[in-house]
Amino acid sequence: MVGKKSGKALLREEGLERTDNNMDLTTWPQVNMINQKNYYTEYLKRDDQILPLRLLQEERRNRMTATAKDRDRALAQAKPNELLPQDVDMDMDDDAGIDEVGGNSGDQDASGTKVIVIHPGSQNLRIGLASDALPKTIPMVIARKWKYCESEEMGGEPRPKRIKLDDGSTPEPEKMFGQEFASQYNTMCAELKVHMRANKRKVLPTSKELVVNYNTRTPPETISEHNDPLRIDWTEIPRNPKEAPEFVTGKEALRIPDQSVPRYKLFWPLQRGWYNERDYSKKMLLYEDISVIIEEAIKQQLNLRKKKDWAQYGCVFVIPDLYERQYVIQILEMLMRDFGFGRVCFIQESLAATFGAGYTSACVVDIGAQKTSVCCVEEGMCVESSRINLKYGGMDVTELFMKMMLFDHFPYADINLKRRYDFLLAEELKTKFCTMNEADVSVQLFDFYLRAPDQNTRKYTFKTYDEVLLAPRGYFEPSIFDHSEKLIGRRKLIGGSEDLYDGGPNDPVSSAQSAVVQLISPQTKTNGQDNSANGDVNGSFATSTPLRQLPNPFGRFNDSELPNSAMGSPAPEGDGTPAPAAEGNLNGAPNTLGFSVRDDVLPVIPLDDAILTSIIHGARSDERKTRDFLGGVMVIGGGSQIPGFYVFLEERLKERRPGYAKDIMIGTPPRELDPQGVVWKGASVFGKLRGTNDSWIGRMEYDRLGARLLAYKCMWAF
């Protein structure tokens, strides 16, 4: 019997047996399975895997190599009795310029002659080389050919707005601005009289009547143009539209007559620290105006006419403390692509102010033309949770001063801040006459000269009483300012930054700013009642939803006023400082507010409330930090240049926090620096420091990574 053959034998007989020829089934690489219980990766874990950090290490290595070669060459060429060069620590050496890697000298870069410092604002642009002692200041405005000028918009409605009767006429000055303004103004006048009498100051009961009667009966004096030694040279525009320039920037734009042929309209691309989306129809036009203003300033003020030479320069750009990511990204693209700078770095305003003043820790209060920012700086870094941005400034004081003067029968009743010469006149009157010293409040006689294009000069004589003091006090009672048009056009062209993963808002926020917005937001309620938009006249504020009391360093002065409640203790009434709603706000991340809440609510609270709120969130219940910040309040900006402002603010803070009266001190920039130029000066110092090499963004790395570099190059969490 023949045995049964196996399958392998049959395959072998038939020639179908598989033989191993040591060849792979496929050339595609085989990836082994990952052991999920224990696996590890080094992807983006080392500095040499990140391009910006790798380039920085290579630059340092090249500098060390070049220095070593120079030292060896000097040793080889040295004579026997010649002093040999000493070793230099590369970490302590001066900054290398952008051309130093190739072997060129970096002496010019170390002195700042190859670094341009730019600080834009809502009203002025400050620009200059880092080696300059003071910046060049020009208006942040551009005039373009238009169908009409800004004073002819909306039917020629003037600013401040006047109420019109049914027949189109204007009512008497006391009723010109509405009942609400008249009530607030009269209340402030009455409170000032009470305060002056309490301080044993003389108060005449008929002071207002003396002012009104004199201003009503005094006509202006006409002076012919050839007899006016201080007449203004207005910008001449060719009457032929083809010969007229397409745009004019700087001071020349403000000197263009309103009735020029062809017409020119002024555009201010930055307003209240935001993009001015209201006056533009396309965002590219907005970006173009910012670019043109800065470009013309570099060419005219710094005398850098050839754009191809700008690649040899670096640029330090100052941004707000509470910035918008889209703004920084767009500015970076403009500086790199349009201007072609060799390197760029950014610095925040408050941090630059401390650099300029030489402070290590301070609470910086920057009062600008249209915005006021408060931020605590500690050891060379902005405390992110303390940043506050308020939307009022010196221009609001100017408009309020004009309203108060018109209320008291100002002789130049036709003043319109939309007209260019009237705007310049109003700024001049505020600078000359406004004060916060109660000793200067009396019936005083002043005069001014009105110079308009194609008109004779007019000399006006007028009297003032308490208007000169009550107008700057609007910083502490901002509800009297006109906020009706400040949110018009917001987010019309440029949306907020959104997170790539969850689609939520991605712009930086702070717990202090969130507390301010939640305080005045109509959606936030306290005990079932809506919060006031600006607080009451006395500056008292309700807090947010009454949860458990926070560890507040100021709270121990009001413990006796706290009501007993099983649900926890809300902040004391009349405290005036908006406390955050949850303990995590001081110890963790700030509240995340949606786009609708952030963009629909105008952050406006009294200045002293903002300072105390910023310090509370910046100190985070640390008693030592609280006293340091209160003792280092530094006030800068053009809006604070009012006689007696620092003394009044210090007294106001001491009244609010009597337990810290010995510690509170309002400081000014040392070394007699101009408070308006401290931020620019600090940015110029920052551009020359040795440690800023890590912050510079180069051309090659920007071409490869774009705006993603900001996450590695900024000194803060971008």
Side-chain angles (χ1 to χ4, degrees):
M1 180 177 179
V2 180
K4 184 177 179 181
K5 296 182 179 180
S6 63
K8 290 185 178 180
L10 294 175
L11 291 176
R12 185 167 52 251
E13 292 179 358
E14 296 177 1
L16 298 177
E17 181 185 14
R18 179 179 177 180
T19 58
D20 188 6
N21 54 7
N22 295 326
M23 295 183 63
D24 295 332
L25 296 178
T26 177
T27 58
W28 191 265
Q30 300 294 319
V31 180
N32 297 327
M33 296 293 293
I34 295 178
N35 183 6
Q36 297 185 2
K37 293 183 179 180
N38 184 16
Y39 67 93
Y40 177 75
T41 179
E42 294 184 350
Y43 178 65
L44 293 183
K45 292 293 182 64
R46 300 195 307 268
D47 289 349
D48 57 0
Q49 295 175 336
I50 301 174
L51 178 63
L53 304 180
R54 185 169 67 250
L55 292 177
L56 184 61
Q57 293 176 355
E58 293 176 356
E59 182 180 351
R60 289 176 176 172
R61 188 162 48 249
N62 293 337
R63 292 211 313 266
M64 293 178 62
T65 303
T67 304
K69 291 181 179 179
D70 294 341
R71 184 169 57 248
D72 295 341
R73 188 182 302 110
L75 289 172
Q77 298 176 357
K79 297 180 180 180
N81 296 329
E82 187 177 358
L83 183 63
L84 298 178
Q86 299 180 357
D87 293 340
V88 180
D89 186 5
M90 290 306 300
D91 292 336
M92 297 300 295
D93 198 5
D94 286 334
D95 275 344
I98 52 179
D99 297 330
E100 191 176 347
V101 179
N104 296 332
S105 175
D107 295 338
Q108 291 183 339
D109 296 297
S111 62
T113 57
K114 291 293 185 179
V115 177
I116 299 175
V117 182
I118 302 175
H119 178 207
S122 300
Q123 185 172 357
N124 291 316
L125 168 69
R126 291 178 174 85
I127 190 171
L129 297 175
S131 58
D132 296 340
L134 296 173
K136 309 291 192 304
T137 302
I138 60 174
M140 188 69 182
V141 64
I142 182 171
R144 290 191 176 275
K145 287 183 180 179
W146 213 254
K147 299 178 181 178
Y148 47 82
C149 63
E150 59 274 9
S151 60
E152 298 173 344
E153 288 183 315
M154 302 175 64
E157 182 179 5
R159 197 183 70 181
K161 290 183 179 180
R162 280 84 154 174
I163 294 178
K164 293 185 179 180
L165 301 177
D166 295 337
D167 56 356
S169 61
T170 303
E172 55 188 9
E174 290 81 0
K175 301 179 181 179
M176 188 181 298
F177 304 108
Q179 183 63 31
E180 182 179 358
F181 175 79
S183 176
Q184 285 183 291
Y185 181 37
N186 292 329
T187 302
M188 293 177 67
C189 294
E191 291 178 351
L192 178 61
K193 287 183 179 180
V194 172
H195 192 271
M196 292 179 64
R197 289 189 177 121
N199 292 336
K200 308 299 182 183
R201 299 191 186 278
K202 185 178 180 180
V203 179
L204 296 177
T206 60
S207 299
K208 282 288 186 181
E209 288 75 6
L210 292 175
V211 172
V212 171
N213 292 335
Y214 183 87
N215 292 342
T216 304
R217 296 196 302 262
T218 305
E221 176 186 352
T222 303
I223 302 175
S224 58
E225 185 177 359
H226 63 275
N227 290 330
D228 184 9
L230 300 177
R231 59 181 179 271
I232 298 175
D233 294 331
W234 303 96
T235 303
E236 296 184 1
I237 301 297
R239 300 191 68 86
N240 187 355
K242 296 182 180 180
E243 299 178 358
E246 290 295 330
F247 62 86
V248 181
T249 62
K251 297 179 181 178
E252 292 78 10
L254 295 178
R255 295 300 184 186
I256 298 177
D258 292 80
Q259 304 302 321
S260 64
V261 179
R263 291 284 196 273
Y264 280 82
K265 181 183 177 181
L266 298 183
F267 289 91
W268 305 81
L270 297 179
Q271 294 280 276
R272 288 169 284 280
W274 291 331
Y275 282 129
N276 180 18
E277 303 174 56
R278 176 184 178 182
D279 296 339
Y280 291 87
S281 58
K282 297 180 180 179
K283 63 180 180 180
M284 295 309 300
L285 299 177
L286 174 60
Y287 296 155
E288 181 183 357
D289 279 359
I290 297 177
S291 176
V292 169
I293 293 174
I294 298 178
E295 180 179 346
E296 291 298 316
I298 294 175
K299 291 180 179 179
Q300 298 176 7
Q301 303 297 328
L302 305 184
N303 200 24
L304 299 176
R305 304 289 181 178
K306 298 180 180 179
K307 212 169 181 179
K308 63 180 181 180
D309 297 336
W310 295 3
Q312 304 174 9
Y313 288 80
C315 177
V316 179
F317 199 91
V318 183
I319 62 174
D321 303 322
L322 209 55
Y323 56 88
E324 293 183 345
R325 292 172 60 92
Q326 294 285 1
Y327 172 72
V328 180
I329 293 173
Q330 179 61 33
I331 290 296
L332 178 60
E333 182 181 357
M334 177 188 71
L335 298 177
M336 284 294 186
R337 303 291 189 198
D338 299 343
F339 295 169
F341 287 124
R343 54 179 183 167
V344 174
C345 73
F346 293 95
I347 184 173
Q348 293 170 296
E349 288 178 340
S350 295
L351 181 58
T354 56
F355 271 100
Y359 287 13
T360 56
S361 298
C363 178
V364 181
V365 182
D366 187 358
I367 305 177
Q370 297 182 2
K371 75 173 180 65
T372 299
S373 62
V374 185
C375 180
C376 295
V377 180
E378 183 182 15
E379 301 299 335
M381 290 294 292
C382 293
V383 182
E384 294 184 355
S385 59
S386 67
R387 297 174 295 182
I388 292 180
N389 196 314
L390 307 176
K391 302 305 179 184
Y392 59 77
M395 291 187 66
D396 294 279
V397 174
T398 302
E399 183 175 352
L400 178 60
F401 182 52
M402 290 296 101
K403 291 175 71 173
M404 291 181 174
M405 294 300 300
L406 291 171
F407 189 91
D408 292 336
H409 295 256
F410 189 56
Y412 181 34
D414 193 34
I415 189 169
N416 180 8
L417 298 185
K418 290 184 178 180
R419 286 198 292 256
R420 295 155 197 170
Y421 57 88
D422 282 348
F423 169 75
L424 298 175
L425 172 65
E427 289 287 334
E428 180 184 356
L429 295 179
K430 181 195 70 173
T431 304
K432 284 185 176 181
F433 304 135
C434 280
T435 180
M436 298 198 75
N437 296 321
E438 286 189 359
D440 298 335
V441 177
S442 61
V443 179
Q444 302 182 65
L445 181 64
F446 298 112
D447 58 41
F448 67 91
Y449 294 86
L450 175 63
R451 297 178 175 90
D454 300 329
Q455 298 180 21
N456 290 329
T457 302
R458 285 171 284 175
K459 179 182 178 182
Y460 286 87
T461 306
F462 66 101
K463 285 187 176 182
T464 64
Y465 179 52
D466 54 4
E467 306 90 351
V468 294
L469 185 138
L470 294 179
R473 281 200 179 182
Y475 289 133
F476 305 93
E477 298 182 19
S479 59
I480 198 171
F481 291 146
D482 184 11
H483 307 296
S484 58
E485 298 181 356
K486 292 184 178 181
L487 286 177
I488 297 179
R490 177 69 172 155
R491 299 299 185 193
K492 183 180 73 172
L493 303 176
I494 306 171
S497 178
E498 297 182 359
D499 190 86
L500 294 177
Y501 299 99
D502 57 12
N506 202 21
D507 285 324
V509 295
S510 69
S511 58
Q513 185 77 2
S514 299
V516 171
V517 173
Q518 289 179 351
L519 174 74
I520 60 181
S521 173
Q523 300 176 3
T524 306
K525 297 185 178 181
T526 303
N527 298 329
Q529 297 180 358
D530 291 341
N531 287 336
S532 172
N534 295 310
D536 58 15
V537 177
N538 296 326
S540 62
F541 286 84
T543 56
S544 53
T545 307
L547 300 178
R548 181 163 58 89
Q549 175 109 11
L550 296 174
N552 189 336
F554 300 132
R556 57 190 178 91
F557 302 112
N558 300 306
D559 290 341
S560 59
E561 304 176 11
L562 296 178
N564 296 325
S565 173
M567 297 300 295
S569 301
E573 296 180 359
D575 182 44
T577 301
E583 185 175 353
N585 292 346
L586 289 182
N587 302 323
N591 292 335
T592 301
L593 300 176
F595 284 142
S596 59
V597 177
R598 287 198 223 170
D599 298 334
D600 296 343
V601 177
L602 191 71
V604 172
I605 62 172
L607 182 59
D608 50 347
D609 285 341
I611 295 174
L612 294 177
T613 303
S614 176
I615 292 177
I616 287 177
H617 288 262
R620 295 188 177 183
S621 305
D622 190 323
E623 185 76 11
R624 181 187 60 82
K625 291 183 180 180
T626 301
R627 295 186 182 276
D628 290 344
F629 289 146
L630 286 173
V633 178
M634 182 175 62
V635 182
I636 60 175
S640 64
Q641 298 305 290
I642 300 173
F645 179 83
Y646 303 105
V647 177
F648 181 84
L649 177 59
E650 185 172 335
E651 293 177 353
R652 183 98 173 186
L653 292 177
K654 289 180 178 179
E655 291 177 1
R656 298 291 305 279
R657 302 302 176 198
Y660 289 87
K662 296 181 180 179
D663 301 311
I664 295 176
M665 181 180 297
I666 307 298
T668 57
R671 301 188 299 273
E672 298 182 355
L673 289 176
D674 183 7
Q676 301 181 68
V678 174
V679 175
W680 183 92
K681 189 64 177 178
S684 67
V685 173
F686 179 78
K688 296 184 290 184
L689 284 180
R690 290 185 289 269
T692 56
N693 269 342
D694 296 346
S695 301
W696 290 108
I697 299 175
R699 291 291 302 275
M700 182 185 68
E701 49 190 346
Y702 178 77
D703 292 338
R704 294 185 181 182
L705 298 181
R708 288 179 291 172
L709 278 170
L710 293 171
Y712 301 102
K713 292 294 187 176
C714 291
M715 297 177 61
W716 62 93
F718 182 76

